[in-house]
Amino acid sequence: MSKTARVVLWLAWVAALVAVAAIPVADLGDRTGLWPQIPSMFVSFRVALVAAVASLMLGLAAAWLNRSAGFLSRRVLGALLPFIATVVLVGLILGRFDAAEAAIRIHDVTTDTENPPAFAALLAERQANGRNPSEYDPATASLQLRAYPTIKSVLLDRPVAEAFDRALAAAQAMGWTTAADKARFHIEATAITRWLKFKDDLVIRVSDAGAGKSRIDVRSASRIGRGDLGQNAERIRAYIARLRG
């Protein structure tokens, strides 16, 4: 490989590494308190996109500089590795942006938009460590119904006490930190997102639906961030699937 091609290839790998590291750097800032996570997350997305585009262009340039070796040669294919890696990365980043748009930038999702479950045990912690209000905004209901029309209350063919035990077991099986009040048939839980380590809170309410049946309503709300990239709706769907299963 020529010296010029080698320099271009190394620059492509540096750009690819910058793109890959951008999001963990945002998480590091939140964990250490050195910089706020939300602004740095969006800056990281932009940095990642710029670095990815640079990597794509440099990877192609390195391959072009070695075209004399033949486009199926090891030199050319090696130069295309950062190109391939960043194509995948750009796809993932743009996919997250698409998810954010699909979520219509809401951060509070519930199965009961008319009478959503309310926070109690987690109220103080949300107020101390969060920026979003704990009270449900009625204006969110129309947005949610448009974005997630299939998220509805769950009916179980069980009396309330049994349904509560099942609801609590399902929440614990999800790996959430839970606080349960069986006297009120009320459960609160905290979930941590996989990649960015955001803390989101849930309320699970079990009520009598008559004829030996129970109704279960779930609410999942982010502590910070205007939009949730669809995480709260996805979490409620996963919980309902486990509850029914």
Side-chain angles (χ1 to χ4, degrees):
M1 185 174 289
S2 70
K3 184 179 294 186
T4 303
R6 190 176 295 112
V7 170
V8 171
L9 178 59
W10 277 110
L11 289 174
W13 276 116
V14 169
L17 290 174
V18 169
V20 170
I23 294 175
V25 166
D27 182 48
L28 177 64
D30 179 68
R31 289 171 175 270
T32 60
L34 294 175
W35 49 82
Q37 186 177 30
I38 291 296
S40 62
M41 183 183 71
F42 287 108
V43 170
S44 295
F45 274 130
R46 294 187 183 98
V47 169
L49 282 173
V50 171
V53 170
S55 177
L56 293 176
M57 296 176 65
L58 291 167
L60 287 174
W64 178 256
L65 289 170
N66 283 279
R67 66 189 185 280
S68 60
F71 281 104
L72 294 180
S73 69
R74 289 176 56 189
R75 285 187 288 175
V76 172
L77 294 178
L80 288 176
L81 284 176
F83 174 83
I84 296 169
T86 46
V87 164
V88 174
L89 181 68
V90 168
L92 291 173
I93 293 172
L94 294 179
R96 300 306 287 171
F97 280 133
D98 288 343
E101 184 179 357
I104 320 180
R105 299 189 67 76
I106 57 178
H107 59 263
D108 196 342
V109 180
T110 177
T111 57
D112 186 351
T113 57
E114 295 183 0
N115 181 30
F119 289 105
L122 290 172
L123 192 58
E125 186 173 348
R126 284 182 61 84
Q127 291 173 341
N129 300 313
R131 301 190 192 96
N132 292 332
S134 297
E135 297 76 21
Y136 184 78
D137 183 359
T140 304
S142 60
L143 298 176
Q144 178 190 312
L145 292 173
R146 191 167 76 232
Y148 313 119
T150 60
I151 291 184
K152 303 289 185 182
S153 305
V154 178
L155 287 177
L156 289 184
D157 226 357
R158 296 168 179 261
V160 178
E162 289 185 20
F164 175 84
D165 291 339
R166 186 181 182 94
L168 178 59
Q172 291 171 339
M174 296 290 291
W176 302 335
T177 303
T178 58
D181 184 350
K182 192 165 186 176
R184 297 174 53 225
F185 301 115
H186 183 94
I187 303 167
E188 295 186 40
T190 298
I192 301 176
T193 61
R194 180 178 300 176
W195 298 111
L196 297 178
K197 307 302 180 183
F198 289 129
K199 287 186 177 179
D200 299 336
D201 299 311
L202 298 99
V203 188
I204 302 167
R205 181 181 64 205
V206 184
S207 55
D208 189 356
K213 297 182 179 181
S214 299
R215 169 175 165 163
I216 298 179
D217 285 295
V218 188
R219 178 183 169 199
S220 182
S222 303
R223 293 187 185 181
I224 59 176
R226 182 182 171 191
D228 65 0
L229 302 179
Q231 286 291 322
N232 288 301
E234 183 179 330
R235 184 177 297 112
I236 290 177
R237 290 193 192 100
Y239 174 74
I240 289 175
R242 186 177 290 273
L243 184 67
R244 286 175 169 160

